[in-house]
Amino acid sequence: MPKFSHPDFTAARFANSRDARFEPAPADGVLPEGFFSTTNLPTYVRINGSWKMPQESRMDAALVLDANAELWAREGRRVKRGEKVAVGIAEDGSEGIYVFAEAFLAHDPTALGGGEFRFMASDVSREKPIDYGVMARILIAERERGYPIWVCGPALVHSRARADMTWFIENGFVGALLAGNAVAVHDIEASMYGTTLGMTGSGETTIGGHGLHMRAINRVRAAGSIAQAVQQGVIASGIMHACVTRDVPFVLCGSIRDDGPLPDVYTDIAAAQDAMRGHAVKATMAILIATALHAIATGNMLPAFVTEPDGTLRELATICVDSSEFVVSKLKDRGTHQAFGVVTNAQDFMHILRLYVERELDARGLTRTAAPAAATTGAGR
Amino acid sequence: MPKFSHPDFTAARFANSRDARFEPAPADGVLPEGFFSTTNLPTYVRINGSWKMPQESRMDAALVLDANAELWAREGRRVKRGEKVAVGIAEDGSEGIYVFAEAFLAHDPTALGGGEFRFMASDVSREKPIDYGVMARILIAERERGYPIWVCGPALVHSRARADMTWFIENGFVGALLAGNAVAVHDIEASMYGTTLGMTGSGETTIGGHGLHMRAINRVRAAGSIAQAVQQGVIASGIMHACVTRDVPFVLCGSIRDDGPLPDVYTDIAAAQDAMRGHAVKATMAILIATALHAIATGNMLPAFVTEPDGTLRELATICVDSSEFVVSKLKDRGTHQAFGVVTNAQDFMHILRLYVERELDARGLTRTAAPAAATTGAGR
Amino acid sequence: MPKFSHPDFTAARFANSRDARFEPAPADGVLPEGFFSTTNLPTYVRINGSWKMPQESRMDAALVLDANAELWAREGRRVKRGEKVAVGIAEDGSEGIYVFAEAFLAHDPTALGGGEFRFMASDVSREKPIDYGVMARILIAERERGYPIWVCGPALVHSRARADMTWFIENGFVGALLAGNAVAVHDIEASMYGTTLGMTGSGETTIGGHGLHMRAINRVRAAGSIAQAVQQGVIASGIMHACVTRDVPFVLCGSIRDDGPLPDVYTDIAAAQDAMRGHAVKATMAILIATALHAIATGNMLPAFVTEPDGTLRELATICVDSSEFVVSKLKDRGTHQAFGVVTNAQDFMHILRLYVERELDARGLTRTAAPAAATTGAGR
Amino acid sequence: MPKFSHPDFTAARFANSRDARFEPAPADGVLPEGFFSTTNLPTYVRINGSWKMPQESRMDAALVLDANAELWAREGRRVKRGEKVAVGIAEDGSEGIYVFAEAFLAHDPTALGGGEFRFMASDVSREKPIDYGVMARILIAERERGYPIWVCGPALVHSRARADMTWFIENGFVGALLAGNAVAVHDIEASMYGTTLGMTGSGETTIGGHGLHMRAINRVRAAGSIAQAVQQGVIASGIMHACVTRDVPFVLCGSIRDDGPLPDVYTDIAAAQDAMRGHAVKATMAILIATALHAIATGNMLPAFVTEPDGTLRELATICVDSSEFVVSKLKDRGTHQAFGVVTNAQDFMHILRLYVERELDARGLTRTAAPAAATTGAGR
């Protein structure tokens, strides 16, 4: 384990320190306003000119100087009325209390918190707030002047998000859609049969439902392509229908999990990568939803930056949505460090993001398609 | 591993079977409409009166009878124009194809699917749709005539859901709130400082922020109780404020993780259980959000049923929201089998649920408080 | 919500019921031996010939008959010495207590527990024990007479499991290895540089390490194939080395995430599927470790059964190892219902499985390679 | 999004740069040894004295200078024999290639990687190796001279780890055990009935099993305490038995989930915290397994450091084991930044850790109890 010596309190930066100030507790279990709240790091308190560590160090405690001039870290509930409690906020010694953070936080290249004791310092967590307002404003800006690429996994179609994804395509927010065979298969099954993998929009399995995705694939294979199936009326709604009717380019990449596959799927993965890359080099924003495979593949191809018209650089906005922290961390561990993680269910993400975009468009008086019957549930037609 | 004999095809139920029907594939890689789509279970096809298993069984394939009268399970893409493909939907032998599901699915008490091969048969999955419309209608009905209890973990307050939870309290949807010290501490820190554990509503940590929850606790301890802190204006907004001002009962149960704790917290866990139970015996619905500890504790106390005024029984609607399948499964594994799992982020759940409830109230002309400035983010005031 | 009427206690099966028996509690908070332990389901107790439900139903409680002949579900700690407590184990009414399980558990095709109230009824959970002894015995049996296929994700190589996987190959337990480009790339990087993605075997990142996997790929591309790289001494150890030197067939399937790819990788996914299928049709056991993509792809191709030499069928042993319940449930939701889930870290799984296999081999006096220096850590040479 | 200007190449540190060096590709799709492997950060290549960015930036590519003196980031597989490829490792400009890492990685206090592009930079991941050898050596050292506290959740007892935990207690590796009611209840149920929550050691549920933990609790309540139950022979094996017979102190903290509780459980959480703290202030190492509640509670009380006999400080070794990254990250987010995360199944962790400790003890000739029949599975006696 790492070892440390105590700080050198003869150093210049401690020259102007003063003794710590103590105030009496106003009641049993109540601390004076402005009490110093401890951390779990080595802490030094200046008393009569010398620096002293408290007994029984812990975080979230008060510093109590007892009648014998002994100093303790003590929970607030255990402090008695009149006991002397250290007050102060500064942790740099200027108010007579020094927290030796650098020793413990600065030696480690992966340490978080910027050299200061903090809570909630981790990078990706379901406990972090999700700022849909900011995302909505970025997306609207990208619609004007950029090329946002969307990279989606099949969870988007299994659930209610299919209608929302269709809305984003129809309203011009999608520069290109990168996905796999399954996204298109589930979407087309939903268009033809109202199910995905035989599961209805309300989550029930259906008798004989396990064959429906195969029937959907077969009908598109018979039509020759997704575009032809749309033109023949075989596919009448949904994500792929919107891409075809709105001329939004899509790339469907094959994988060994594929049933079929659909006629438009790149079965050669080098060809698929080249097709993806054609969009990645133009991308000014990336939204990666519910797919580790496609998200990491796209992250591999994306620069972390965009060159602005004025020649300066900006970070390429990269949003990664997944139900677990793991996929976002894995994406970052593969080098896409700029990704901002949103840990949530894909269908809920899509619904709220669209709601915020709609509000913002309405507030600015920008046009949009009427909201579809948004309260409808499920994958159905 | 379990072993099985083949089915007895001399049994009465097979007496009226007929030979399977085959149709030619209309093109290379395209199957005839109505093709039989295979499962991974033992499958028997009646040809010239006798039952035959295909070679190379697999799911999602077609059954092809080749020129040598050999039967194969074969992927659609590998079928050639004119090859003979079995057609039919029934798996019970009536159309000449029998899937021996019972052998493999019926011997196991934990087997899902009701004795039939199905996809998406698992009980709890982020891939299942979430029917917010149904939940909104149940909740409105419960407001009229029931006693819905809400059991919440601190993730609800860390993030944007604080405003939504407050809205549900203010609009009469909460019979009682059961939570721990941390929910109230984070909520009160947000009211006083605009942060939770020192993290702002947009997810940034703040300098000195690690002490803010301790300062919030201390001020309430000084006030004497949460209700007194509300009356003194020390707590001016949020969940606890709404409970106090709307007379919604709350139970704050202590745990060993607690800082403080706040004065209202039951530190004796038997007393806390008794207080919880006082609400559990009246409950007609339970909504458990982002807490394994409190959800399981409440589940332990809840009957799985409600006795209706007419003396009949109905299932007690129990919704469990968590970011992972594990917590819901664990709740069920502790006996609360009736729980319906929603695998999502707590803040997104709250926001969409409220949106659906608002829509439904508006559609029925029922009153509600004006929506707060819903687009505001974070935990802030 | 589902509704139910009370059971018909005039039915024949209740004809021989008797009144429930009550015994006094021997001390405050202590129940009589043999007390009836409640569930959360509707429960009926026969008292003086008529069936009565307790007040305040809950699970894990005792049934107490108070001085007013009122019946209560009550926690043991609240029962006073001398109070009358129902005794009995049977829940079918035969001892005067009837639990109406069928109403609540039998109406739902996805309900678990086989119509009885149980804890720990879920199918896949990290809380279930893992029986390595059974797995070891199956694996040894398969080595004798079967064709076990191993399907592995890159987590196996990132961590210490590389040495263990190599051991299984060298000792004849692997019929075929199905994996992706990344497994081979990480393995070969470890052989050449002692790192995986630039991370050392002890988890440290290295300066310039991010390029090492690209250098490894390039050297194999220069050699022409993995086999040639082994023959030229460019690859001197590890998983791929063992496959080449022991003539164990492997299939490396391409995906859009691939760097390179290595020369042996199938870049066409239909060709990759055909190659995988060539092994799947021969498989008598499948071990799927730390890969959703390859596990589901393989599951799609596998029958759920094996035909034994005597013509009978047995379930095809299918073990799926992942850090989360989700991947196993997803595999099952895609139809591979026979999969047995092991929720753990891949490297720990491999290490313990090998340990149990070694013990079993030693106990039977079967040969094996000497254990490599098993205490060595990391991916290194 | 953050914006950046290009680096100032007139700065002193670029004064000694030279032009980048290019070498021809030796074959189609094969790069020259020593090729520069790109990142996704802004990259500048010095050609004829001026710094130029490549077209189509991406990571894991080569830098190719084409016949028109245009520079490209290009995948190795697309490079043709004889094309000019940049060579070099340094990213600081000294070899004519400069990666502008600081702009993108240095502005963010939560950025990982220490200002350099790296893979696998995240702090907690199931993909990181677990160094059991190091942990074993630390634990043996702590047995000699320290006070290691173990903080355990019930997953440890549900599964096979019960025997291993007992072994660690019996062999002197446990200074104190901190846990909740459930750990002791499951352990004692296993001792009395061979089940936990009615589940056998091989994972099967048992008829009537749901009441067994209540019967176990009741028998200990009848005995008066765990110690008395051990003395009376009511508890004959396992974790609590070992604590009692080896005089290892334990603290059982109450929670609202508790059935019973057992007589030794602190039902007042402030008293429980005080009891835990009594051990925390002495702790020189902490091992936190499969419990968020108790791990965070303990982390709150622990200093991040130990004062050595020589007055210097060392980091307090803190190991946190959980099936998901989330619990470890949450612990760190609550301030226990020093925690080292092990993402695995608790039972596997215990088994391998013990194996390594046994090996190390044997290698050093230190005594230990004979290994129990280690191949026995389950919770059973």
Side-chain angles (χ1 to χ4, degrees):
Chain A
M1 308 308 299
K3 301 190 72 165
F4 309 99
S5 303
H6 297 285
D8 174 10
F9 287 109
T10 64
R13 61 178 166 146
F14 294 110
N16 296 319
S17 297
R18 55 169 175 73
D19 274 3
R21 217 154 46 76
F22 290 84
E23 289 187 9
D28 282 5
V30 180
L31 301 169
E33 275 282 318
F35 67 93
F36 184 87
S37 187
T38 62
T39 73
N40 59 3
L41 298 170
T43 299
Y44 303 83
V45 181
R46 214 183 93 155
I47 300 172
N48 296 329
S50 66
W51 295 90
K52 195 175 174 115
M53 293 182 81
Q55 303 288 313
E56 301 190 350
S57 260
R58 61 162 292 174
M59 69 173 87
D60 295 333
L63 294 171
V64 174
L65 191 65
D66 73 12
N68 303 319
E70 192 56 79
L71 189 66
W72 302 86
R74 189 161 290 165
E75 296 86 348
R77 66 177 160 81
R78 294 173 59 210
V79 174
K80 297 295 173 202
R81 177 183 171 149
E83 284 190 317
K84 294 202 280 185
V85 175
V87 295
I89 304 291
E91 301 183 350
D92 62 356
S94 60
E95 299 182 75
I97 304 172
Y98 179 68
V99 179
F100 195 19
E102 68 203 91
F104 283 76
L105 301 178
H107 71 282
D108 178 0
T110 69
L112 295 166
E116 194 194 279
F117 180 84
R118 299 183 185 212
F119 294 126
M120 305 305 292
S122 75
D123 208 23
V124 181
S125 167
R126 66 194 72 169
E127 295 188 309
K128 299 273 174 152
I130 308 171
D131 197 333
Y132 286 99
V134 165
M135 284 189 282
R137 287 189 293 278
I138 293 176
L139 203 51
I140 291 170
E142 290 289 326
R143 181 171 74 160
E144 300 306 311
R145 51 132 217 237
Y147 194 78
I149 61 174
W150 294 63
V151 181
C152 302
L156 207 71
V157 198
H158 266 310
S159 59
R160 216 167 13 87
R162 180 176 173 252
D164 295 319
M165 186 69 217
T166 303
W167 185 90
F168 280 110
I169 297 167
E170 290 179 343
N171 282 274
F173 291 100
V174 180
L177 174 67
L178 313 187
N181 183 64
V183 165
V185 168
H186 295 333
D187 174 62
I188 292 168
E189 181 187 336
S191 166
M192 290 182 181
Y193 302 106
T195 57
T196 55
L197 286 180
M199 174 176 69
T200 68
S202 55
E204 310 293 315
T205 58
T206 53
I207 304 279
H210 69 79
L212 295 178
H213 69 299
M214 299 309 298
R215 301 187 196 292
I217 292 167
N218 193 55
R219 292 177 70 187
V220 180
R221 289 178 71 97
S225 73
I226 291 173
Q228 283 172 289
V230 168
Q231 280 141 25
Q232 295 168 19
V234 171
I235 301 171
S237 69
I239 293 169
M240 300 316 299
H241 179 268
C243 284
V244 169
T245 57
R246 304 286 164 151
D247 274 330
V248 170
F250 59 86
V251 179
L252 300 180
C253 303
S255 91
I256 53 171
R257 270 179 60 184
D258 293 350
D259 290 308
L262 291 167
D264 303 70
V265 168
Y266 287 90
T267 61
D268 185 83
I269 57 98
Q273 287 183 338
D274 291 346
M276 292 173 76
R277 184 105 198 276
H279 297 287
V281 296
K282 292 190 279 180
T284 57
M285 181 183 191
I287 304 168
L288 318 169
I289 307 175
T291 166
L293 173 62
H294 294 259
I296 295 174
T298 304
N300 285 349
M301 293 175 187
L302 279 179
F305 61 94
V306 177
T307 305
E308 296 276 38
D310 67 1
T312 60
L313 307 172
R314 69 171 163 89
E315 203 168 275
L316 192 150
T318 308
I319 296 167
C320 180
V321 182
D322 202 88
S323 280
S324 82
E325 285 85 359
F326 176 61
V327 168
V328 184
S329 294
K330 190 167 179 175
L331 175 66
K332 287 171 165 281
D333 271 350
R334 266 64 181 178
T336 305
H337 45 79
Q338 81 275 14
F340 176 78
V342 177
V343 180
T344 192
N345 183 296
Q347 70 168 293
D348 288 347
F349 173 82
M350 291 298 286
H351 202 60
I352 303 185
L353 181 60
R354 175 177 139 193
L355 180 73
Y356 273 77
V357 169
E358 286 180 341
R359 281 180 191 157
E360 186 81 21
L361 292 174
D362 291 350
R364 300 193 197 175
L366 296 172
T367 57
R368 60 174 172 95
T369 60
T376 59
T377 56
R381 275 164 288 193
Chain B
M1 307 309 301
K3 299 191 72 166
F4 309 99
S5 301
H6 296 285
D8 174 10
F9 287 108
T10 64
R13 63 177 164 144
F14 295 110
N16 294 319
S17 296
R18 54 167 176 74
D19 273 4
R21 214 154 47 76
F22 289 83
E23 289 188 9
D28 282 5
V30 181
L31 302 169
E33 274 282 318
F35 66 94
F36 184 86
S37 186
T38 62
T39 73
N40 58 3
L41 298 170
T43 299
Y44 303 83
V45 181
R46 213 183 93 155
I47 299 172
N48 297 327
S50 66
W51 295 90
K52 193 176 176 113
M53 293 181 79
Q55 302 289 313
E56 302 191 348
S57 261
R58 61 162 293 173
M59 69 174 87
D60 296 331
L63 294 171
V64 174
L65 192 65
D66 74 11
N68 303 319
E70 193 58 77
L71 189 67
W72 302 86
R74 189 161 291 166
E75 297 86 347
R77 67 178 161 79
R78 294 172 60 209
V79 173
K80 297 294 174 204
R81 178 183 172 148
E83 285 189 317
K84 294 203 279 184
V85 176
V87 295
I89 303 290
E91 301 183 349
D92 61 358
S94 61
E95 298 182 76
I97 304 173
Y98 179 68
V99 178
F100 195 20
E102 68 202 89
F104 284 78
L105 301 178
H107 71 282
D108 178 2
T110 68
L112 295 166
E116 193 193 280
F117 181 85
R118 297 182 188 214
F119 294 125
M120 303 305 293
S122 74
D123 208 22
V124 182
S125 167
R126 67 195 71 169
E127 295 188 309
K128 298 274 175 151
I130 307 170
D131 198 333
Y132 286 98
V134 166
M135 285 189 281
R137 287 190 293 277
I138 292 176
L139 202 52
I140 290 169
E142 289 290 325
R143 180 170 76 159
E144 300 307 311
R145 51 131 217 238
Y147 193 78
I149 62 173
W150 294 63
V151 181
C152 303
L156 207 71
V157 198
H158 266 310
S159 57
R160 217 166 13 86
R162 180 173 174 253
D164 296 319
M165 186 70 216
T166 303
W167 185 90
F168 280 109
I169 296 167
E170 290 179 342
N171 282 275
F173 291 100
V174 179
L177 174 66
L178 313 186
N181 182 64
V183 165
V185 168
H186 294 333
D187 174 62
I188 292 170
E189 181 188 335
S191 166
M192 290 182 182
Y193 302 106
T195 57
T196 56
L197 287 181
M199 175 176 68
T200 67
S202 55
E204 310 292 317
T205 58
T206 53
I207 303 281
H210 69 80
L212 294 178
H213 69 298
M214 298 310 298
R215 301 185 195 292
I217 291 167
N218 194 55
R219 292 176 71 185
V220 180
R221 288 178 73 96
S225 73
I226 292 172
Q228 284 172 286
V230 168
Q231 281 141 25
Q232 296 169 19
V234 171
I235 302 171
S237 70
I239 293 169
M240 300 317 299
H241 179 269
C243 284
V244 170
T245 57
R246 305 283 165 154
D247 274 329
V248 170
F250 59 87
V251 179
L252 300 180
C253 302
S255 92
I256 52 171
R257 266 179 63 183
D258 293 351
D259 290 308
L262 291 167
D264 303 70
V265 168
Y266 287 92
T267 61
D268 186 83
I269 59 98
Q273 287 183 338
D274 292 346
M276 292 172 75
R277 184 104 197 276
H279 298 287
V281 296
K282 293 191 279 182
T284 56
M285 180 184 192
I287 304 168
L288 318 169
I289 307 175
T291 166
L293 172 63
H294 295 258
I296 295 173
T298 304
N300 285 349
M301 295 178 186
L302 280 179
F305 61 95
V306 177
T307 306
E308 296 276 38
D310 67 1
T312 59
L313 307 171
R314 69 170 162 88
E315 202 168 276
L316 192 149
T318 307
I319 296 166
C320 181
V321 182
D322 203 87
S323 280
S324 82
E325 285 85 359
F326 177 60
V327 168
V328 184
S329 294
K330 190 168 180 175
L331 175 66
K332 289 171 165 279
D333 270 351
R334 266 65 181 179
T336 305
H337 44 78
Q338 80 275 15
F340 175 78
V342 177
V343 181
T344 192
N345 183 297
Q347 69 168 295
D348 288 347
F349 173 82
M350 292 297 286
H351 201 61
I352 304 186
L353 181 60
R354 176 176 139 194
L355 180 73
Y356 274 76
V357 170
E358 286 180 341
R359 281 180 190 157
E360 187 81 20
L361 292 174
D362 291 350
R364 300 194 198 174
L366 296 171
T367 56
R368 61 171 171 98
T369 60
T376 59
T377 56
R381 274 163 288 192
Chain C
M1 307 309 299
K3 301 189 71 164
F4 309 99
S5 302
H6 296 286
D8 175 10
F9 286 107
T10 66
R13 62 176 163 145
F14 295 108
N16 295 321
S17 297
R18 55 169 175 75
D19 274 3
R21 216 155 46 78
F22 289 85
E23 289 187 9
D28 283 6
V30 181
L31 302 169
E33 275 281 319
F35 66 94
F36 184 87
S37 187
T38 62
T39 73
N40 59 2
L41 298 170
T43 299
Y44 304 82
V45 181
R46 213 182 94 154
I47 300 173
N48 298 329
S50 65
W51 294 90
K52 193 174 176 119
M53 293 180 81
Q55 303 288 312
E56 302 191 346
S57 262
R58 62 161 291 174
M59 70 174 87
D60 295 332
L63 294 170
V64 174
L65 192 65
D66 73 12
N68 303 318
E70 192 58 78
L71 189 67
W72 302 87
R74 189 161 290 165
E75 297 86 346
R77 67 177 159 81
R78 294 172 58 210
V79 173
K80 297 292 174 206
R81 176 182 172 149
E83 285 190 317
K84 294 203 279 185
V85 176
V87 294
I89 304 289
E91 301 183 350
D92 63 357
S94 61
E95 298 182 76
I97 305 172
Y98 179 68
V99 179
F100 195 19
E102 68 203 88
F104 283 77
L105 300 178
H107 71 282
D108 179 0
T110 69
L112 296 166
E116 192 193 280
F117 180 85
R118 297 184 186 212
F119 295 123
M120 304 305 294
S122 74
D123 207 23
V124 181
S125 166
R126 67 193 72 167
E127 295 187 310
K128 300 272 176 151
I130 308 171
D131 198 332
Y132 286 98
V134 166
M135 286 189 282
R137 287 189 292 277
I138 293 175
L139 203 51
I140 290 170
E142 290 289 328
R143 182 172 74 160
E144 301 306 309
R145 50 135 217 235
Y147 194 78
I149 60 174
W150 294 63
V151 181
C152 303
L156 207 71
V157 197
H158 265 311
S159 56
R160 216 165 15 85
R162 180 175 174 254
D164 296 318
M165 186 69 217
T166 303
W167 184 90
F168 281 110
I169 296 167
E170 291 178 343
N171 282 277
F173 292 99
V174 180
L177 174 67
L178 313 185
N181 183 63
V183 165
V185 169
H186 294 332
D187 173 61
I188 293 169
E189 181 189 334
S191 166
M192 290 183 184
Y193 303 106
T195 58
T196 56
L197 287 181
M199 175 175 68
T200 67
S202 55
E204 311 292 315
T205 58
T206 51
I207 304 280
H210 69 79
L212 294 178
H213 69 299
M214 299 309 298
R215 299 186 197 292
I217 292 166
N218 194 57
R219 292 177 71 186
V220 181
R221 290 178 70 97
S225 73
I226 292 172
Q228 285 172 283
V230 169
Q231 282 141 23
Q232 297 169 18
V234 171
I235 302 171
S237 70
I239 295 170
M240 301 315 300
H241 179 269
C243 284
V244 169
T245 56
R246 305 285 165 151
D247 273 329
V248 169
F250 59 87
V251 178
L252 299 180
C253 302
S255 92
I256 53 171
R257 267 178 64 183
D258 293 351
D259 290 307
L262 290 167
D264 302 71
V265 168
Y266 287 91
T267 62
D268 186 83
I269 59 98
Q273 288 183 338
D274 292 347
M276 292 172 76
R277 186 105 196 275
H279 298 286
V281 297
K282 294 189 277 180
T284 58
M285 181 186 193
I287 303 168
L288 318 169
I289 306 175
T291 165
L293 173 63
H294 294 259
I296 295 175
T298 304
N300 286 348
M301 293 175 186
L302 280 179
F305 61 94
V306 177
T307 305
E308 296 276 39
D310 66 0
T312 59
L313 307 172
R314 69 172 163 91
E315 203 168 274
L316 192 151
T318 308
I319 295 166
C320 181
V321 181
D322 202 88
S323 279
S324 82
E325 285 85 358
F326 177 61
V327 167
V328 184
S329 294
K330 190 167 179 174
L331 175 67
K332 287 170 166 281
D333 271 351
R334 267 64 180 179
T336 305
H337 44 79
Q338 81 275 13
F340 175 78
V342 177
V343 180
T344 193
N345 182 296
Q347 69 168 293
D348 287 348
F349 172 82
M350 292 296 288
H351 200 62
I352 303 186
L353 181 59
R354 176 177 138 194
L355 180 72
Y356 274 77
V357 170
E358 286 179 341
R359 282 182 190 156
E360 188 80 21
L361 292 174
D362 291 349
R364 300 193 198 175
L366 296 171
T367 56
R368 59 173 171 98
T369 59
T376 59
T377 55
R381 277 164 283 191
Chain D
M1 308 309 299
K3 301 190 71 165
F4 309 97
S5 301
H6 296 286
D8 175 10
F9 287 107
T10 65
R13 62 176 164 146
F14 294 111
N16 295 320
S17 298
R18 55 168 176 73
D19 274 4
R21 216 155 45 80
F22 290 84
E23 289 188 8
D28 282 4
V30 181
L31 301 169
E33 274 282 318
F35 66 94
F36 185 87
S37 186
T38 62
T39 74
N40 59 2
L41 297 170
T43 299
Y44 303 83
V45 180
R46 212 181 94 153
I47 299 174
N48 297 328
S50 65
W51 294 90
K52 193 173 177 124
M53 294 181 79
Q55 303 287 312
E56 303 191 346
S57 261
R58 63 161 293 175
M59 69 175 86
D60 295 331
L63 294 171
V64 173
L65 191 66
D66 74 10
N68 303 317
E70 192 57 80
L71 188 68
W72 301 87
R74 189 161 290 164
E75 296 86 348
R77 67 177 159 80
R78 295 171 59 210
V79 173
K80 297 293 173 204
R81 177 184 172 147
E83 286 190 315
K84 293 202 280 184
V85 176
V87 295
I89 304 290
E91 301 183 351
D92 62 357
S94 60
E95 299 182 74
I97 305 174
Y98 179 69
V99 178
F100 195 19
E102 68 202 90
F104 282 78
L105 300 178
H107 71 283
D108 178 359
T110 69
L112 296 166
E116 192 193 282
F117 180 86
R118 296 182 187 213
F119 295 124
M120 304 305 294
S122 75
D123 208 24
V124 182
S125 167
R126 66 194 72 168
E127 296 187 308
K128 298 272 175 152
I130 307 171
D131 197 333
Y132 286 98
V134 166
M135 285 190 283
R137 286 189 292 276
I138 293 176
L139 203 51
I140 290 169
E142 290 289 327
R143 182 171 73 160
E144 300 307 309
R145 50 132 217 236
Y147 193 78
I149 61 174
W150 294 63
V151 181
C152 303
L156 207 70
V157 197
H158 266 310
S159 57
R160 217 166 13 85
R162 182 175 172 254
D164 295 318
M165 186 69 216
T166 303
W167 185 90
F168 280 110
I169 297 167
E170 291 179 342
N171 282 275
F173 292 100
V174 179
L177 174 67
L178 313 186
N181 183 62
V183 165
V185 168
H186 295 332
D187 173 61
I188 293 169
E189 181 188 336
S191 166
M192 291 182 181
Y193 302 106
T195 57
T196 56
L197 288 180
M199 173 176 69
T200 67
S202 56
E204 309 293 313
T205 59
T206 53
I207 304 280
H210 69 80
L212 294 179
H213 68 299
M214 300 309 298
R215 301 188 195 290
I217 292 166
N218 194 56
R219 293 177 70 187
V220 181
R221 289 178 73 96
S225 72
I226 292 172
Q228 286 173 285
V230 169
Q231 281 140 24
Q232 296 168 19
V234 172
I235 302 171
S237 69
I239 294 170
M240 300 316 300
H241 179 269
C243 284
V244 169
T245 55
R246 306 283 166 153
D247 273 329
V248 170
F250 58 87
V251 179
L252 299 179
C253 303
S255 92
I256 53 171
R257 267 178 63 182
D258 293 351
D259 290 308
L262 290 167
D264 303 69
V265 168
Y266 287 90
T267 63
D268 186 84
I269 59 98
Q273 287 182 339
D274 292 348
M276 293 172 76
R277 185 103 197 278
H279 298 288
V281 297
K282 292 190 278 181
T284 56
M285 182 185 191
I287 304 169
L288 318 169
I289 307 175
T291 166
L293 173 62
H294 295 258
I296 295 175
T298 304
N300 285 349
M301 294 175 187
L302 280 180
F305 62 94
V306 177
T307 305
E308 296 276 37
D310 66 0
T312 59
L313 308 172
R314 68 170 164 91
E315 203 168 274
L316 191 150
T318 307
I319 296 166
C320 181
V321 182
D322 203 88
S323 279
S324 81
E325 285 85 358
F326 177 61
V327 168
V328 185
S329 293
K330 190 167 179 173
L331 175 66
K332 288 170 165 281
D333 271 351
R334 267 63 180 179
T336 305
H337 44 79
Q338 81 275 14
F340 176 78
V342 177
V343 180
T344 192
N345 183 295
Q347 70 169 294
D348 288 348
F349 172 82
M350 292 297 287
H351 201 62
I352 303 185
L353 181 60
R354 177 177 138 193
L355 180 72
Y356 274 76
V357 170
E358 286 180 341
R359 281 181 192 157
E360 186 81 19
L361 292 174
D362 291 351
R364 299 194 199 175
L366 296 171
T367 58
R368 59 173 173 96
T369 61
T376 59
T377 55
R381 275 164 287 192

